[in-house]
Amino acid sequence: MRPSLAAALLLAAAMVFSPAGHAQNIVVAGNTRHADVAATARGLTLPAGTFTVTELIDAVAGYLCRIYVYDLDDVEQRATFTLQRALSLDALGSEEMLYALLAARNLAALPLDELRGVYQIIALDAQRPTTPIGTVPWRRPQDILLRPHLRELVLTAVPLEHLDAAQVAQALRAQFVLQQTWQPGTPTVSSIGAHGLVLHGYSDLLAQTIRVLHDLDRAFAPPPPPSPPAVPADVLRRLDALEHEVQELRRQLADRPTK
């Protein structure tokens, strides 16, 4: 595997200044297919033109200060992308754009050392699977819902309070099978115990599934117990008067001398 040192571009690139006075880095140099790709404090700007997959990886890596390690021979043979107009992206948008484009070329980014910003680009269409389950990141359902447009390959666990997990898993499998023949990224589901599901797939697709599961789980919640009937105010006043009478009788009985 030949590693890409794309993240080093951010440190090695010469610092220039735009007319507006904002610091600007050229993270990918221009060529006959497109102009320079610039990164500023405002975001990453991809000019109109045609880009290879490696150029897009290097551009996002330089902007996000990450390292994406990949097999250069494999990635370079992927089809190019053509942008009809310039595209400006913030940090979240650049990551979402890259992950979506990688998925379109049967590639995925998996964390090798997420804390230090090191990721691996793997091929999902290889003859031998290259995505051991241990490298697919676990994400909490709430984190997936916070970024419903990120096409990240993930695993997650969804707790259910009211639905039977085995029945739900069986229903979801039938739904997922209708999409396509399984390949890495196609959603899968397994039940854990009576009220737990484990889902695998692209996070943007799982976000929709998680929302549906939450809605269904609430819909099948048992109805709340009926509220006790309201006692009329006049009845409460009569009960209160009787309670006072009883207390007075008890006091009188207690004061009577014993024989």
Side-chain angles (χ1 to χ4, degrees):
M1 176 175 291
R2 297 163 59 189
S4 166
L5 300 180
L9 292 174
L10 189 61
L11 302 176
M15 185 70 72
V16 297
F17 294 89
S18 66
H22 296 285
Q24 175 176 280
N25 264 340
I26 304 302
V27 291
V28 173
N31 50 44
T32 58
R33 294 177 284 102
H34 61 76
D36 292 338
V37 180
T40 71
R42 292 182 174 180
L44 178 71
T45 299
L46 296 172
T50 300
F51 294 83
T52 65
V53 178
T54 56
E55 287 175 327
L56 292 173
I57 295 172
D58 291 349
V60 174
Y63 173 50
L64 298 180
C65 296
R66 289 182 177 176
I67 294 176
Y68 288 104
V69 180
Y70 51 80
D71 187 320
L72 191 59
D73 294 331
D74 186 15
V75 174
E76 279 187 333
Q77 69 182 359
R78 307 283 167 164
T80 59
F81 291 98
T82 299
L83 302 181
Q84 289 76 27
R85 62 176 180 83
L87 187 62
S88 296
L89 302 161
D90 60 10
L92 296 181
S94 63
E95 184 182 45
E96 292 171 358
M97 182 276 301
L98 176 63
Y99 279 43
L101 295 180
L102 288 176
R105 296 295 181 260
N106 290 317
L107 299 168
L110 297 179
L112 288 179
D113 189 337
E114 197 165 16
L115 182 64
R116 295 175 175 82
V118 182
Y119 296 78
Q120 179 183 12
I121 307 295
I122 55 97
L124 301 180
D125 55 0
Q127 291 184 350
R128 284 190 169 186
T130 57
T131 56
I133 194 170
T135 63
V136 177
W138 273 90
R139 299 290 187 236
R140 299 179 304 171
Q142 55 267 41
D143 295 331
I144 293 175
L145 293 177
L146 283 175
R147 299 191 64 187
H149 304 298
L150 178 61
R151 200 170 181 80
E152 181 185 29
L153 202 61
V154 299
L155 283 162
T156 190
V158 181
L160 302 173
E161 293 184 32
H162 311 292
L163 295 174
D164 182 275
Q167 294 180 359
V168 174
Q170 184 176 2
L172 286 177
R173 288 192 200 100
Q175 180 65 30
F176 294 158
V177 165
L178 296 177
Q179 297 184 17
Q180 57 185 337
T181 303
W182 189 87
Q183 60 180 0
T186 302
T188 62
V189 58
S190 301
S191 60
I192 297 180
H195 298 289
L197 295 174
V198 172
L199 300 174
H200 164 271
Y202 286 117
S203 54
D204 57 342
L205 301 178
L206 296 187
Q208 304 174 36
T209 303
I210 292 170
R211 289 195 193 97
V212 172
L213 288 172
H214 287 171
D215 290 342
L216 287 173
D217 203 36
R218 285 192 294 266
F220 281 84
S227 302
V231 180
D234 61 330
V235 174
L236 291 175
R237 287 194 295 269
R238 290 167 58 189
L239 289 174
D240 189 56
L242 287 173
E243 177 66 22
H244 281 83
E245 291 180 11
V246 171
Q247 294 296 334
E248 179 62 22
L249 288 173
R250 287 178 176 173
R251 186 185 63 78
Q252 293 176 8
L253 290 173
D255 292 342
R256 291 179 60 181
T258 56
K259 295 183 180 180

